[in-house]
Amino acid sequence: MADFLAVNNLGKEYEGRRALHKVSFGLQQGDFLSLFGPNGAGKSTLLRIISTLTSAGSGKVEIKGFDLAEEPEAFKMQLGVISHQSLLYGHMTARENLIFYGSLYKVDDPEQRAEELLRIVELYPRRHSRVSRFSRGMCQRLSIARALVNDPSLLLLDEPFSGLDQYASAILTEQLGELRSRARTVIMVTHSLDRGLAAATRVGILAGGRLVYLEERDTIDPSAFEGLYMEYVHGARAA
Ligand code: ADP
Ligand code: MG
């Protein structure tokens, strides 16, 4: 079976310094990849390339056979992204933001989808408020809704829980479970060993721009993995 997501020999340099080197892996539909690694390992670079926010230096990425370089629009339609940028427009209301993104992603009924998501992230009563008046926690919940607007077949999360308040964390955890139950594919970069292992079907470690570890979650003994994690992520072992 062809991979749902195929990453082949991905490389990236910034001003001659290597950020990613020959990263290759494949995911099947319904896989949840938790990706660990020290600061500067290239985790965000990898997600930014797949998110189409940064160009790859070399290599290739395909989702459902759509090539990122050749069919970027079709590729993008498959994606949802949660990162540190909220990607929300302050001068628009919560509802308007979601309708805007829904239209961008050619969602069938953007108004209805917006209202459905506003209920899910518990912002429905505030749907007509401008986002510039929202608290940080409210923006976080609306960002989660924004990322889900097109019911993405691949959701990319870069340290999604760091800085999230408890309320938003609970909503995100619930939505990740929901996506998993519907066989949506997820890549989550996280520093939380427990959260990452709990959610994953596959577990990877990126270090020094290389994918140094990739295993099926079921085959991993959590206590043995913790040792490896400490070595790579907290410095004992060089890539
Ligand atoms: P991680 O998310 O694992 O902490 P990053 O992907 O952010 O790592 O960074 C990988 C490497 O690339 C680091 O050495 C970082 O300094 C460098 N890097 C990332 N983004 C840029 C950029 N826009 N310009 C120059 N160097 C960058
Ligand atoms: Mg990062």
Side-chain angles (χ1 to χ4, degrees), residues 46-62:
L46 175 63
L47 287 201
R48 288 176 58 82
I49 292 172
I50 303 175
S51 312
T52 78
L53 296 170
T54 300
S55 62
S58 54
K60 167 178 170 94
V61 187
E62 287 181 354

Side-chain angles (χ1 to χ4, degrees), residues 14-15 17 19 38-45:
Y14 292 107
E15 291 130 28
R17 285 189 54 230
N39 289 330
K43 305 179 300 297
S44 294
T45 300

